[in-house]
Amino acid sequence: MNQFKHSGHLSHILLLTLLALTTFLLTGCSQNQHRRIVRIGHNQSVNHPTHIALTAFQDYINHNLGDRYIVEVYPSELLGSQTDMVQLTQTGAIDYCIASNAILETFSKNYEIFNLPYLFASADSYHHAMDDPQITDPIFTATQKAGFTAVTWLDAGTRNFYTVKKPIESPSDLKGLKIRVQQSPTNIEMMRLLGGSATPMGFGDVYTALQSNIIDGAENNEMALTDNGHGDVCKYYSYDMHQMVPDILIGNNAFIQGLPEEDRVVFEEGYRLINQIQRKEWIKAVDTAREKAASQQKVRFLYPDQAPFVKACAPLHHTVLENNPNIRPIYDAIQQYNQLYPTITE
Ligand code: GCU
């Protein structure tokens, strides 16, 4: 069952309604008669850590600033795919959305860095780097011209290959297989280097594509198996651990910058809350997903030697750094965290 598939017609009507509402609200706001509705879209289910964290943000803002704002959270691609939602955030039709870092590299090359395979030596290194504003600020603020800014990050675990029929034990097993990747040039190049055939598509289309044999597999964290049902179709999940790609909460610039100072402080506290709650929930959610995938969906977890995967992907680091020397200091700072936290702990 694909709970994320939505009819184009329905989403069209939804968007039109939304735009009409936005116009109404903007007029209302200027007359100070209405509370400002703040809309946040994301593509996960209501059980997902991301939704739980955004709901906490909703409660926090509604509790502290409820006389001026009403936060509404739209899960499950109700407002369209992540790419659709980024565009809606750019234009201000909605105020925030969660986008995978993967798709943001088409808005600023700086985002390419977090899409690099085997960038982080461990989950600890990843978390410390993502918590360091010296690393994230130059990236999070790189999309000023595109109309949005990143306000915090969320954990999306480690991405691994999973397949319908053929277990992946080494890169050579990917040969001839069509593997869904996110819509990002870095991911497409990663698949090319690993020898598979990259099939970029939105998250909501993956289940049907797997089920109808349009693709042979995909790559994602463990929650995709359970929360998105991919483990009903794919019975092999291989811990090659090729990426730790964060999810990013982005906000419309005009909205964020237009917030009065005293409100901005509360919103910023709210962003911190999202990050803290989501990460705490994430640890529990991954454990539950692994357990459920193994016991109920009968997914087999495999632990291939990572070395050949790392070796095959290595050229991508050079390419990305050569194409964008601006990110070299960030890359070097991440290497320092890798030295401090070298062990894979998750
Ligand atoms: C993860 C991630 C999402 C992303 C999805 C994908 O679930 O959290 O933000 O959209 O992967 O592979 O597209």
Side-chain angles (χ1 to χ4, degrees):
M1 177 199 53
N2 184 3
Q3 57 190 305
F4 296 96
K5 201 74 199 124
H6 58 278
S7 106
H9 183 60
L10 184 67
S11 65
H12 191 61
I13 293 174
L14 254 170
L15 282 183
L16 288 177
T17 315
L18 196 65
L19 288 173
L21 263 171
T22 307
T23 316
F24 169 75
L25 278 161
L26 286 175
T27 322
C29 266
S30 65
Q31 293 163 359
N32 229 354
Q33 289 168 345
H34 293 274
R35 290 182 291 168
R36 171 71 157 81
I37 297 189
V38 179
R39 295 187 178 83
I40 311 179
H42 69 91
N43 69 355
Q44 307 289 359
S45 81
V46 293
N47 307 314
H48 195 279
T50 291
H51 188 74
I52 296 170
L54 289 175
T55 307
F57 175 77
Q58 176 179 40
D59 293 344
Y60 181 76
I61 299 295
N62 292 351
H63 178 75
N64 287 288
L65 297 174
D67 55 334
R68 299 201 282 288
Y69 304 90
I70 313 172
V71 176
E72 293 179 350
V73 182
Y74 294 86
S76 310
E77 293 196 6
L78 274 173
L79 302 180
S81 69
Q82 273 189 353
T83 5
D84 294 335
M85 287 189 280
V86 172
Q87 282 164 19
L88 292 174
T89 308
Q90 282 185 289
T91 60
I94 64 174
D95 305 291
Y96 298 91
C97 75
I98 305 277
S100 170
N101 186 88
I103 64 163
L104 293 178
E105 70 176 28
T106 53
F107 297 93
S108 161
K109 270 166 79 161
N110 287 5
Y111 276 98
E112 281 175 1
I113 190 158
F114 298 140
N115 297 335
L116 281 176
Y118 302 106
L119 174 68
F120 300 108
S122 65
D124 282 344
S125 173
Y126 165 51
H127 293 155
H128 280 91
M130 292 304 299
D131 282 338
D132 181 346
Q134 287 195 333
I135 288 184
T136 53
D137 278 357
I139 297 163
F140 285 6
T141 54
T143 49
Q144 289 305 310
K145 283 201 192 112
F148 64 85
T149 304
V151 293
T152 192
W153 68 279
L154 292 82
D155 206 344
T158 307
R159 297 183 77 95
N160 301 287
F161 291 111
Y162 51 93
T163 39
V164 182
K165 290 188 191 131
K166 185 177 169 192
I168 305 302
E169 317 240 34
S170 78
S172 59
D173 291 325
L174 289 162
K175 235 193 182 79
L177 295 193
K178 289 203 193 86
I179 304 289
R180 179 268 173 169
V181 294
Q182 292 173 282
Q183 297 115 311
S184 114
T186 305
N187 282 348
I188 295 168
E189 181 58 9
M190 174 185 76
M191 275 313 303
R192 195 188 65 77
L193 291 168
L194 287 168
S197 169
T199 310
M201 65 176 75
F203 195 34
D205 295 323
V206 181
Y207 180 89
T208 313
L210 285 169
Q211 209 187 27
S212 52
N213 293 319
I214 290 169
I215 50 174
D216 303 297
E219 48 81 53
N220 215 319
N221 59 57
E222 297 88 336
M223 287 226 51
L225 297 173
T226 52
D227 212 34
N228 306 92
H230 299 181
D232 294 341
V233 191
C234 296
K235 299 302 172 190
Y236 301 101
Y237 188 92
S238 298
Y239 276 108
D240 66 286
M241 306 188 83
H242 55 267
Q243 280 168 321
M244 296 177 194
V245 178
D247 278 339
I248 311 286
L249 175 64
I250 62 165
N252 171 267
N253 276 346
F255 177 72
I256 298 178
Q257 286 159 15
L259 283 171
E261 184 55 27
E262 67 270 27
D263 297 354
R264 191 201 314 248
V265 175
V266 182
F267 272 76
E268 280 172 0
E269 188 49 36
Y271 307 148
R272 269 189 289 280
L273 206 65
I274 293 174
N275 175 277
Q276 281 165 15
I277 293 176
Q278 196 271 349
R279 287 164 67 179
K280 220 187 253 165
E281 291 292 327
W282 180 258
I283 297 167
K284 289 188 271 171
V286 168
D287 280 351
T288 312
R290 276 175 56 84
E291 210 276 309
K292 185 179 167 200
S295 65
Q296 294 176 30
Q297 297 174 307
K298 308 289 177 213
V299 173
R300 257 184 64 201
F301 289 96
L302 304 152
Y303 299 86
D305 177 13
Q306 287 172 27
F309 292 90
V310 177
K311 194 171 166 220
C313 293
L316 198 44
H317 288 225
H318 301 290
T319 315
V320 162
L321 288 169
E322 243 171 52
N323 289 345
N324 186 4
N326 285 342
I327 56 177
R328 168 62 78 175
I330 303 172
Y331 184 85
D332 291 344
I334 292 172
Q335 299 316 311
Q336 286 180 16
Y337 281 114
N338 284 344
Q339 276 170 21
L340 281 172
Y341 305 101
T343 335
I344 302 277
T345 52
E346 273 175 26

